[in-house]
Amino acid sequence: MTALSGRDAKLIHDLAKAILTEPEPVRVWPLLMERLTTDLPADLAVLVDLDWDVGTGHALTGKPDWLHQAPLDALINAHMRVHPLLRHYAHTADRTPLTLDEVADDRWWKSEAYRAGKCAIGIDRQLALPLSAGAGQVRGVIMSRSGHGFSDRDLEYAELARSLLDTVSAHEGVMLSLPRLGDPAEYGITPREMAVLALLNRGLTAYAIGSRLQIAEKTVVKHKENLYKKLRAHDRVTALNKARAAGLISSEPPAD
């Protein structure tokens, strides 16, 4: 492995500093997902925790925020056993960051699993940062980028970042406090309603939401009524608090 450039060395230093100085452990992993997507860069990063023997798994947290709208758990549970990277780490002791291109063959790119992921979250090229896990478990960060693959420089950065993340992962108390990404489908919330919910979380009015989504204000009001009913809330504040607790939206309103 070649030495990192000055820029990349600073990125790793800043990543370590972010881990050490974050006063609230529950915020560490969402912060790291955001940093990883910026530093590589990548379109998205998801921390996954799988019970390979049972065949179930969860997306614990991820960035960007729109991932909260995606049915990640459903994708994982339906296709985890055929995903080339997950299969590789499940059946080997290898903990080297690898790209999907390194382990996938033509069957993957033609598979239903690939098409489902592409449709739901736009996955194309992927890079995995595998973390230490118990027997029969797979844990790691899956990063995705559209249009072009990951370079040797990306893999060098990923290896150093993986070591830092593995240290965090070793502290089970932090891992157990991670917020799971909520699945809107569990509440019957549609993608359009999720878009409205996200903008409500930003403090926008029904008129402003309608302008942003290019729909009528009365349609926004109807979506709000549906959200209140599905979240069993009678007002905006209660609905947003319940949505945050369920992991459907950020715990703090994102800045525009």
Side-chain angles (χ1 to χ4, degrees), residues 65 68-69 179-184 186-187 189 193-194 196-202 227-228 230-233 235-252:
D65 287 338
H68 292 270
Q69 303 176 32
R180 275 184 55 193
L181 287 172
D183 186 352
E186 293 181 9
Y187 299 86
I189 297 176
E193 289 166 351
M194 276 302 305
V196 171
L197 182 63
L199 293 175
L200 285 173
N201 192 38
R202 292 178 181 269
L227 283 166
Y228 292 174
K230 293 174 181 180
L231 291 169
R232 297 184 179 181
D235 57 68
R236 180 183 185 130
V237 172
T238 303
L240 290 176
N241 284 338
K242 287 192 172 185
R244 289 170 188 145
L248 298 173
I249 54 176
S250 302
S251 58
E252 296 181 0

Side-chain angles (χ1 to χ4, degrees), residues 1 10 26 44 63 76 102 113 116 121 124 127 130 133-134 141 169 192 198 205 212 224 231 235 249 251-252:
M1 180 180 293
K10 183 178 187 306
V26 73
L44 62 89
K63 287 290 180 178
I76 290 170
E102 292 177 283
I121 58 175
D124 192 1
L127 168 64
V141 176
S169 180
R192 178 61 82 181
T205 64
R212 182 76 65 89
K224 285 174 57 180
L231 291 169
D235 57 68
I249 54 176
S251 58
E252 296 181 0

